[in-house]
């Protein structure tokens, strides 16, 4: 006999685990540098609009599919479409996207772990100029042993948590990690905004200069909303499949989206006021936090301590995201092929780590190896984030908005939402049918260079 499918131990456990998937390097590493490169407050405003119009409705749709079918992405589409191969293929595309994203995301997660050790070792203590930290970053990210070592170590951590099972592993971990993460960010925000000279940084984040908003920036903001919320590949779908039907999807999802957005906004307040206080340029690109933060902390009383906290925080945030990526793949293989969870977690973790090694070497030994002008790292990121996620998200919106019988969509949505005003479900249906697909289509066409 099949064992009964595991479920989240509590409503808050689901919300924290899903928020843990969403909150990660996307919020703390990528969001600040995108804000820094696109002029600050105005970009943030556009990002927030994208989260509301695209992110929230598609997140509800994904969780709804998962909760209704109680299956992995492929199995969910099989159940809801009576085995339609096209839609099952979309589910499979999500699993593939998870594989690719995890392979390179884990590399940066490994860096953050490495920076915890560097910080503990006091390697940044004597640095005065951000340039010195920049040189150290270039040196470390080019080192084969350092990159591959931490990459493998981080994968081992991820596998360990998946190994422990859904409710025991992810939920227990998230219950501890998420509030701790939030607390650490708040401490760092307070530290940042109380530094002398922080005011221009605060203004940078609050006073919108709309001349900075180009069509490109709008599309970047849309793409970031997608990535940051873990949308488009069935991660939220899988987490939704462990959810009880008694729960209110709209309020749970709003919490997840709200927490993810709040943490991104806080990450901005953690970095820019301090950065301006140091008189540094905001447009630092992807190296922003690795180049800047180690030195910024030297200007802060207790900087040694705060720096260690920050990189622990970053590693924890990345860990709750890598867990969700591996869980999608694991639940697919466990549900579809009845493999053992423990074995799948170890074997897939190993394969993904192996597949990620070229990405880990992309900043050093293999930086000259290019495919279509891109390093392995850039290519993986391009294929996964710029092609697979937008296609997946668009299909999820189209499926729920147009192909799933609208009677059952409404019934399923309303299950567990007795107290919800009618106009909210009506608004959601409008967004998922019209607004979200059109906007996602625009992101996708822009990213592959047609628009
Ligand atoms: N959202 C995570 C972040 O912001 C990354 C992530 C985890 C993700 N799971 C995902 C992105 C699934 C896309 C799809 O760091």
């Amino acid at each position: 006999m099949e064992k009964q499918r595991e479920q989240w131990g509590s409503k808050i456990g689901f919300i924290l685990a899903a928020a843990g998937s969403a909150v990660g390097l996307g919020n703390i590493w990528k969001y600040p540098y995108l804000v820094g490169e696109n002029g600050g407050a105005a970009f943030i405003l556009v990002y927030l609009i994208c989260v509301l119009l695209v992110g929230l409705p598609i997140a509800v749709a994904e969780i709804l599919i998962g909760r209704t079918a109680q299956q992995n992405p492929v199995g969910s589409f099989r159940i809801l479409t009576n085995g339609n191969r096209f839609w099952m293929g979309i589910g499979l595309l999500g699993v593939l996207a998870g594989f690719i994203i995890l392979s390179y995301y884990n590399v940066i997660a490994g860096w953050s772990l490495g920076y915890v050790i560097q910080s503990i070792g006091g390697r940044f203590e004597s640095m005065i100029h951000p340039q010195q930290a920049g040189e150290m970053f270039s040196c470390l990210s080019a080192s084969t042993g350092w990159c591959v070592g931490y990459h493998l170590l981080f994968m081992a951590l991820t596998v360990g948590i998946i190994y422990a099972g859904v409710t025991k592993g992810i939920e227990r971990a998230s219950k501890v990690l998420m509030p701790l993460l939030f607390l650490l960010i708040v401490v760092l925000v307070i530290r940042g905004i109380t530094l002398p000279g922080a005011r221009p940084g605060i203004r940078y984040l609050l006073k919108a200069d709309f001349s900075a908003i180009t069509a490109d920036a709008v599309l970047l903001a849309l793409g970031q909303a997608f990535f940051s919320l873990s949308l488009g590949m069935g991660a939220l779908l899988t987490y939704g499949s462990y959810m009880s039907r008694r729960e209110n999807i709209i309020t749970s999802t709003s919490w997840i989206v709200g927490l993810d957005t709040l943490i991104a906004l806080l990450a901005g307040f953690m970095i820019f006021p301090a950065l301006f206080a140091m008189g540094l340029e905001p447009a630092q690109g992807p190296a922003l936090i690795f180049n800047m933060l180690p030195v910024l902390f030297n200007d802060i009383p207790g900087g040694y301590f705060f720096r260690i906290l920050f990189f622990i925080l970053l590693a924890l945030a990345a860990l709750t995201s890598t867990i969700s990526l591996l869980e999608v793949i694991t639940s697919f293989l466990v549900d579809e092929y009845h493999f053992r969870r423990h074995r799948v977690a170890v074997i897939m973790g190993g394969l993904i780590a192996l597949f990620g090694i070229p990405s880990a070497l992309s900043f050093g030994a293999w930086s000259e190896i290019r495919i279509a002008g891109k390093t392995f790292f850039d290519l993986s990121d391009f294929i996964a984030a710029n092609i697979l996620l937008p296609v997946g998200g668009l299909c999820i919106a189209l499926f729920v908005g147009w192909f799933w019988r609208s009677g059952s969509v409404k019934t399923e949505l309303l299950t567990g939402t007795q107290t919800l005003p009618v106009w909210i479900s009506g608004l959601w249906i409008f967004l998922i049918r019209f607004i979200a697909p059109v906007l996602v289509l625009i992101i996708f066409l822009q990213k592959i260079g047609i628009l």
Side-chain angles (χ1 to χ4, degrees):
M1 265 315 282
E2 277 277 318
K3 231 177 46 177
Q4 208 197 334
R5 193 173 172 81
E6 283 186 89
Q7 282 202 346
W8 301 105
S10 63
K11 177 180 166 125
I12 191 76
F14 165 75
I15 292 174
L16 290 178
S21 161
V23 176
L25 297 169
N27 306 60
I28 295 165
W29 163 72
K30 199 170 182 188
Y31 169 86
Y33 86 70
L34 286 177
V35 169
E37 283 184 332
N38 292 282
F43 179 84
I44 296 174
L45 203 65
V46 176
Y47 173 72
L48 291 177
I49 293 169
C50 296
V51 165
L52 274 179
L53 295 185
V54 180
L56 189 56
I58 295 186
V60 170
E62 260 200 44
I63 294 173
L64 190 65
I65 293 174
R67 190 186 67 167
T68 304
Q70 302 270 305
Q71 282 281 332
N72 67 88
V74 177
S76 291
F77 278 115
R78 176 185 320 101
I79 286 183
L80 297 179
T81 65
N82 291 323
N84 180 303
R85 284 188 176 268
F86 172 78
W87 292 110
M88 285 167 67
I90 296 302
L92 196 61
L93 212 65
V95 176
L96 181 70
F99 190 101
I100 298 174
I101 292 176
L102 184 52
S103 77
Y104 71 87
Y105 191 91
N106 193 69
V107 172
I108 306 172
W111 290 353
S112 65
L113 201 60
Y115 264 60
V116 173
I117 307 302
Q118 295 285 321
S119 302
I120 292 173
R123 299 287 305 279
F124 305 106
E125 289 299 283
S126 60
M127 290 182 178
I128 300 161
H129 296 295
Q131 213 183 346
Q132 291 168 291
E135 277 159 20
M136 176 182 271
F137 175 74
S138 311
C139 183
L140 289 174
S141 62
S143 153
T144 299
W146 193 79
C147 280
V148 174
Y150 280 111
H151 169 63
L152 296 179
L153 186 61
F154 206 92
M155 188 60 81
L157 287 176
T158 304
V159 169
I161 291 185
I162 293 292
Y163 197 91
V166 175
T167 48
K168 288 198 212 80
I170 301 176
E171 193 164 351
R172 195 178 295 166
S174 298
K175 266 184 188 162
V176 181
L177 300 185
M178 288 302 295
L180 184 67
L181 167 66
F182 189 79
L183 207 71
L184 292 181
I185 294 180
V186 171
V187 167
L188 288 166
V189 168
I190 293 170
R191 183 61 278 179
I193 61 178
T194 52
L195 283 175
R199 188 155 293 186
I202 298 170
R203 204 175 307 128
Y204 181 77
L205 293 170
L206 293 180
K207 205 165 177 312
D209 166 16
F210 286 98
S211 67
I213 297 242
T214 59
D216 253 13
V218 173
L219 294 163
L220 270 177
L222 272 166
Q224 172 64 7
F226 227 86
F227 186 82
S228 187
L229 293 171
S230 301
L231 288 178
M233 54 147 285
L236 290 181
L237 188 158
T238 302
Y239 276 29
S241 76
Y242 300 117
M243 193 182 191
S244 144
R245 298 168 78 89
R246 287 190 301 275
E247 277 159 32
N248 184 327
I249 288 193
I250 298 211
T251 47
S252 297
T253 311
S254 304
W255 271 103
I256 296 159
V257 172
L259 279 172
D260 183 74
T261 309
L262 180 66
I263 294 198
L265 292 174
L266 285 174
F269 280 94
M270 172 172 73
I271 285 170
F272 290 102
L275 189 120
F276 274 73
M278 288 264 307
L280 301 173
E281 264 297 302
Q284 302 279 339
L288 175 66
I289 63 166
F290 292 101
N291 286 352
M292 295 302 139
L293 275 164
V295 180
L296 290 174
F297 283 113
N298 281 343
D299 255 12
I300 297 173
Y304 173 78
F305 178 67
F306 283 116
R307 180 168 39 227
I308 295 171
L309 276 187
F310 175 82
F311 286 109
I312 290 175
L313 172 161
L314 188 63
L316 293 181
L319 185 61
T320 50
S321 298
T322 55
I323 289 167
S324 82
L325 288 160
L326 187 55
E327 175 58 24
V328 173
I329 299 159
T330 304
S331 80
F332 163 67
L333 292 170
V334 169
D335 287 351
E336 297 295 304
Y337 300 102
H338 305 287
F339 290 132
R340 289 181 191 221
R341 163 171 282 276
H342 289 187
R343 205 171 292 167
V344 170
V346 174
I347 293 174
M348 292 314 289
L351 277 179
I352 295 166
L354 216 61
F355 187 78
I357 286 179
S359 291
L361 298 178
S362 288
F363 302 86
W366 289 14
S367 62
E368 295 307 318
I369 300 178
R370 303 288 165 120
I371 300 162
K374 294 183 192 308
T375 61
F376 281 103
F377 185 96
D378 291 339
L379 189 71
S380 308
D381 185 34
F382 181 82
I383 291 174
N386 297 352
I387 298 175
L388 297 179
L389 290 187
V391 169
L394 176 63
C395 290
I396 285 163
L398 292 177
F399 176 74
V400 172
W402 299 95
F403 289 90
W404 200 357
R405 279 192 305 117
S406 67
S408 15
V409 173
K410 264 214 167 117
T411 317
E412 282 301 331
L413 183 72
L414 294 179
T415 308
T417 50
Q418 290 81 359
T419 54
L420 200 78
V422 181
W423 68 266
I424 291 188
S425 54
L427 176 65
W428 174 75
I429 286 175
F430 174 72
L431 290 172
I432 205 69
R433 292 194 115 188
F434 300 104
I435 304 299
V438 169
L439 291 181
V440 171
L441 199 65
I442 292 171
I443 303 173
F444 180 58
L445 292 180
Q446 190 266 347
K447 286 210 166 145
I448 59 173
I450 292 178
L451 267 185

